Amino acid sequence: MGRLLRSLLARNNATLKNMSVRVRFAPSPTGPQHLGGVRTALYNYLFAKKNKGVFILRIEDTDQNRYVPGAEQYIIDALHWCGLDFEEGPGINGAYAPYRQSERKAMYRKYADQLIESGNAYYAFDTPQEIEAMRERLKTKENPAPQYDHVTRSAMKNSLTLSKEGTERLVAEGKYVLRAKMPGVGDITFQDLIREEVSFPAHALDDKVLFKSDGMPTYHLANVVDDYLMKITHVIRGEEWLSSTPLHVLLYKFFGWENVMPQFAHLPLILRPDGNGKLSKRDGDRLGFPVFPLNWKSPDTGEESKGFRERGFLPDAFVNMLALLGWNPGTEQEIFSMDELIAAFSIERIGKSGSKFDFEKAKWFNQQYLHKKSAQELAALLQPVLKQNGIERENAFVEQVCDKLRDRVTFVEDFLTAGIYFFKRPESYDEKTIAKRWNPESKTVFEKLMSELAALQDFSSAAVDKFVHDFVAENNLGLGDVLPVFRVLLSGVTQGPAVFDIAALLGKEETMERMKLGVEKLG
């Protein structure tokens, strides 16, 4: 960690002691929430809780053309599933309501006017065709994508080039936007809690649109105004917003709000498994894993994308995995409860470089959380899966099954797929085992074994174990002559818990019936 960053973090920590921390997660309802967005929400939540602050959800829906029905509710459902409950936001009364920007529309106009009056913004009346013509006219090999900026604005149709009368006439017609008047010289520098000092040359920045004639602000103006009005102390967001921060810093200066400007922290990307580029839905589709927390069905195409929840992930395992994609605790510990994450979390341990998403590691986290749960908890999770498959069993039995299989599963559904024989009699038998172990004498051996086993009173695992071993010894057999076939007759497969545990759990009557059916079928 560099000296500058250490100094910056020290000042931040000192400041935290004297302020009420307020952070916000501010997604746009333009579709399902991506893995990276959920991680941004998680880091905001952990930072707020660590510093006894407030975690806010604000829906940034200024771009109504990109609004997707159902997306806002999806965001809220995803946060709740992850346990990231917000104290202020849509549906929750707070001192700074409303929390949808579309419902705050009326309050932005005066701030737009303030920028015009101070000379830090101007009216622009250019049509899309005129802007495109400018770009084509000025395009060169060295500058393939000319911007509307401090250079080109002097040749465009705006209040900087038109007369006062001409400007007023066009404003009255109602077809205009307000653009930020960027300085064009010098550097715009700000401090980032993750990236230290960040500087952008002003001449490389364009005059972004801040406000439209329909009365709706763009993201940039609404974002800064709302952060100010809601008293946001820290803006923790993805690095894709890093290039927008110079404009946001200038807006704080233009409004005279520099003393209350929040501190910025821009999070690294979540990368594809091979590390080449940002993780996307396309990567998940191609490689067979989800990138959304919950299932999402597109209202336009009807296409459904699988979520981590529906794929079988537990929310606490998902959150634990996500926390370690970009942040490390500085120890070897990998499994964290939410309370432990809150206690250990700190911005200074967030890395600058992207983190590769590893689905196998994500599955490992889920496996660890399943292993930690009690048999009662596992049974409660498995019962709905059983009912969906037309299987009804008492909890006591399901708990025992879960206890026997807990070390062999990654997802709750695996209890059924790995242990289907506990709930249904096998319809086929492992061919390799039968070909190798079943012979003309086997039928006689197993008929005798069944006859003697039927008289056994104690059908516990230990008792069945002793009985079978004694039977093998008394009949001059090898364990390999009996145990593999015994297992296959009961389960149909060669893998699973100890065969004596299977027999004890199935019970004497079911065990005998399966052996009888199997011997008759094999002949």
Side-chain angles (χ1 to χ4, degrees), residues 228-244:
Y228 169 74
L229 294 176
M230 293 182 181
K231 301 188 186 308
I232 300 302
T233 60
H234 294 77
V235 170
I236 304 170
R237 59 189 179 188
E239 71 171 36
E240 62 267 28
W241 296 111
L242 192 63
S243 61
S244 298

Side-chain angles (χ1 to χ4, degrees), residues 111-112 114-116 118-122 178-183 188 207-211 217-228 237 244-262 264:
Y111 295 102
Q114 186 177 329
L115 292 173
I116 289 288
S118 65
N120 291 305
Y122 59 93
L178 266 61
R179 289 183 177 272
K181 188 178 179 184
M182 301 300 277
I188 301 171
D207 292 357
K208 288 271 192 296
V209 174
L210 300 176
F211 197 83
T218 63
Y219 164 81
H220 303 289
L221 179 62
N223 176 278
V224 169
V225 168
D226 286 343
D227 282 349
Y228 169 74
R237 59 189 179 188
S244 298
T245 307
L247 171 58
H248 300 170
V249 169
L250 281 180
L251 287 173
Y252 276 97
K253 292 181 179 178
F254 294 162
F255 285 123
W257 300 337
E258 289 177 84
N259 292 338
V260 292
M261 184 169 68
F264 296 100

